């Protein structure tokens, strides 16, 4: 196994690139399927003004899988601080320029991959102009990924418009060939679930014979997953997709320094409780490991998380 393992990872935001960095040493065949619902910040402006898919999450995943000079990575992540370009990253503008020059967003990603010496493949979940909607528990509806967490209301359901958005054939082929499929970590309703709302992607995952792993977030997210336990994350994923999109659930049990927890609590975020028994009663296999980075932020540690995933794959390979 190892370098020949076909791995597919789905998500967006900061969680997916973090995972990709950790998995990169283990396989030459990693495919990242990235949400295209982003409509905020630099990506949102480029999407609106240039009528193209949002490049931000794609950029971060390309850099996570890249074997390039540190200066090149700094350049692609460089964000202008003044003038009309304020807030834009160079990498977003580069992908936008490649898209206009080549006339094709998918081709722009492939050519950018060559320039950055990317080991693996980064694919948008869809090339259609999709919009994320959320229905709150009180019945209110909000339209637009960047607005969903503003109200601090509890989310009941999210939907993708158009509901019949089609994925890339290459994404479906990658899922079909996969030995391992990893969902998350990342923002539950605004990064992970939008990929699964592309129905053909969910159906392909359900059909797949690959090991299917869901990585639960370390901390809750204000305006998105308030007070969510690990089982609440699992229930939300399968509610929006299918019970068979996962087989294993990885939950962090590593301790986080009190000063870090206090800082998160002040921002409305708390440690995700590991209610392992509830998830096991749902029919899933739960892996509890210390996979957290305890330095200054309560994020998954790329190497620890990847080691836990690979250990799971090797121990259950027969």
């Amino acid at each position: 196994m190892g370098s020949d393992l076909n791995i597919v990872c789905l998500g967006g935001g900061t969680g997916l690139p973090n995972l990709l960095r950790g998995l990169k040493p283990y396989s030459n065949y990693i495919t990242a399927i990235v949400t295209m619902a982003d409509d905020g910040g630099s990506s949102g402006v480029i999407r609106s003004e240039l009528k193209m898919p949002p490049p931000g999450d794609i950029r971060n995943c390309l850099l996570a899988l890249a074997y390039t000079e540190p200066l090149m990575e700094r350049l692609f992540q460089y964000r202008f601080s003044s003038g009309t370009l304020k807030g834009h990253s160079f990498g977003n503008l580069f992908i936008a320029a490649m898209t206009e020059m080549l006339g094709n967003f998918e081709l722009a990603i492939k050519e950018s991959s060559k320039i950055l010496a990317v080991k693996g493949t980064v694919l948008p979940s869809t090339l259609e102009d999709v919009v994320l909607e959320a229905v709150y528990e009180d019945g209110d509806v909000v339209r637009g990924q960047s607005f969903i967490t503003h109200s601090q209301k509890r989310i009941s359901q999210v939907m993708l418009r158009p509901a019949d958005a089609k994925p890339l054939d290459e994404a479906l082929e990658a899922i079909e060939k996969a030995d391992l499929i990893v969902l998350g970590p990342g923002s539950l309703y605004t990064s992970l679930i939008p990929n699964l709302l592309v129905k053909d992607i969910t159906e392909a995952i359900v059909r797949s014979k690959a090991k299917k792993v869901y990585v639960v977030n370390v901390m809750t997210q204000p305006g998105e997953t308030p007070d969510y336990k690990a089982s609440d994350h699992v229930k939300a994923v399968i509610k929006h997709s299918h019970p068979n999109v996962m087989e294993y659930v990885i939950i962090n049990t590593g301790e986080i320094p009190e000063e870090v927890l206090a800082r998160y609590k002040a921002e409305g975020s708390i440690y995700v409780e590991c209610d392992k028994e509830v998830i096991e009663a749902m029919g899933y296999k739960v892996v509890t490991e210390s996979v957290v980075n305890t330095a200054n932020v309560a994020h998954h540690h790329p190497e620890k998380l990847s080691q836990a995933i690979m250990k799971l794959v090797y121990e259950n390979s027969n």
Side-chain angles (χ1 to χ4, degrees), residues 6-28:
N6 280 289
I7 303 175
V8 173
C9 304
L10 294 93
T14 58
L16 180 56
N18 198 36
L19 171 66
L20 295 175
R21 289 181 191 279
L23 287 176
K24 185 165 61 171
Y26 292 98
S27 176
N28 296 318

Side-chain angles (χ1 to χ4, degrees), residues 16 59 179 191 220 240 297 303:
L16 180 56
R59 178 196 83 239
D179 301 301
S191 289
T220 63
H240 288 84
V297 292
E303 286 78 23

Side-chain angles (χ1 to χ4, degrees), residues 124-139:
S125 58
T126 181
L127 289 175
E128 296 187 34
D129 186 21
V130 292
V131 177
L132 194 65
E133 291 183 354
V135 180
Y136 299 113
E137 288 185 349
D138 64 3

Side-chain angles (χ1 to χ4, degrees), residues 180-185 188 192 211-218 229-238 242-253 272-291 300 305 308-309 312-313 316:
L180 169 67
I181 297 172
V182 185
L183 309 177
L188 179 64
L192 173 58
K211 297 284 187 300
K212 304 167 192 176
V213 181
Y214 171 47
V215 182
V216 176
N217 292 341
V218 173
K229 298 178 181 179
S231 64
D232 295 315
H233 287 78
V234 172
K235 289 172 184 175
V237 171
I238 63 176
H242 190 283
N244 293 339
V245 296
M246 67 181 80
E247 182 182 3
Y248 301 90
V249 179
I250 294 181
I251 306 171
N252 173 64
T253 51
V272 172
E273 182 183 332
C274 174
D275 53 345
K276 177 179 178 180
E277 297 79 9
V278 177
I279 299 171
E280 288 178 333
M282 296 167 67
Y284 301 110
K285 300 167 187 174
V286 178
V287 176
T288 54
E289 294 271 358
S290 175
V291 291
H300 284 92
L305 177 58
I309 291 171
L312 179 159
V313 172
N316 297 275

